[in-house]
Amino acid sequence: MSLKLDGKKLSLDIEEKLENYISINKLIAKRSPGLALIRIGEDPASGVYVKNKEKACSRVGIKSFIFHLEDTVSQKEVEKLIEKLNLDKNIDGMLLQLPIPKKLDEQSLISNINPEKDVDGLNEQNIGKLVKNEPAMRSCTPAGIVNLLRSHSIPIEGMKIVVIGRSLLVGKPLSLMLLNLNGTVTMTHSKTKNLNKLCREADILIAAAGKPNLIDSSFVKDGAVIIDVGIHRLKSSDKNKTRLCGDVLLEDVIPKVSAYTPVPGGVGPMTVTMLLVNTIFSWQKQFSLSSTLNDLLP
Ligand code: NAP
């Protein structure tokens, strides 16, 4: 019988800890942690993600500040807003909801975010510290995956881990985090030869290719752990309905693995929770608060 790594449940457990931590430490800090969410344009998925983040903030007691800019906004105007938020003493974390309109230079905007407030962990300074295995803001989806593995006592050290995908958002930082935790990591991508054979050697296989149902049971070793990062909305057989799926053909893979993440309810909820965690870490640092949440740091 394979174990379901329930990200929804873990995220609720962590949120409870975060809520307690904030209510106790607010007395010392004399204000709640603050998170600024910058959204540009009308991408509907971004609207849903920002709303979910806003709701998650209110569940634990983080004050959220939403800045919804029109897609006609200039690079300079967004830079100005980021600069203002960098200096704002009530803001501990800031994120730019991606994607943003193509005419804007995404990486340059992220570089402008104060690394101490870069709760998405995408600023060069934070990525550099990850490479050096020094403490810093870690990107949320990879950090959530590490917490999911740890909380189920799945060992990382010495394990053969194959990561499918090398994006700056998921594959690269995740591979580095697992390497820092002494996993033996192989990072793969669309040009990798013999992907199937490489995957079959993995004790832990992580699919972050963004391709629905790419991974079936032929990619998986008996007893492996499989983590599905992909999230896709597909039309279901009933034309008026849609359903979510990941990069893994779960019904085919589950009988073969020792543990797996469902989609939805696996990696996704952990991503939002780690955003809350990062915001609270920044707040904790600013007010030298107790570090009882440090075991959540990857
Ligand atoms: P991305 O930027 O499109 O990167 C995809 C990566 O997968 C690339 O490195 C690409 O290789 C590689 N790839 C694509 N097809 C492949 C194939 N057939 N075989 C091997 N490698 C392949 O996507 P991303 O931002 O990393 O996101 C990946 C998936 O995770 C998406 O479905 C996204 O929606 C999901 N996601 C979920 C969460 C969550 O919270 N659940 C968070 C972030 C992302 P090349 O580099 O060679 O092009």
Side-chain angles (χ1 to χ4, degrees), residues 141 164-167 169-170 189-191 195 208-211 214 229-232 247 267-268 271:
T141 302
I164 309 173
R166 57 174 166 182
S167 71
L169 194 63
V170 186
H189 46 79
S190 66
K191 307 289 184 294
L195 181 68
K211 298 279 178 267
L214 173 73
V229 186
I231 180 113
H232 314 280
D247 286 1
V267 173
T271 299

Side-chain angles (χ1 to χ4, degrees), residues 199-210:
C199 290
R200 264 184 284 130
E201 289 167 10
D203 301 309
I204 302 175
L205 177 60
I206 304 179

Side-chain angles (χ1 to χ4, degrees), residues 136-149:
M137 212 64 100
R138 297 287 194 243
S139 43
C140 300
T141 302
I145 293 169
V146 170
N147 270 306
L148 254 183
L149 293 170

Side-chain angles (χ1 to χ4, degrees), residues 11-50:
S11 71
L12 290 174
D13 292 348
I14 295 176
E15 278 188 13
E16 201 180 314
K17 280 191 202 163
L18 300 182
E19 191 185 358
N20 287 337
Y21 183 85
I22 291 174
S23 68
I24 293 166
N25 286 286
K26 218 163 69 172
L27 302 172
I28 304 167
K30 308 237 170 2
R31 70 160 174 84
S32 309
L35 173 65
L37 298 152
I38 307 174
R39 177 185 170 202
I40 307 176
E42 296 305 324
D43 176 55
S46 292
V48 174
Y49 290 136
V50 168

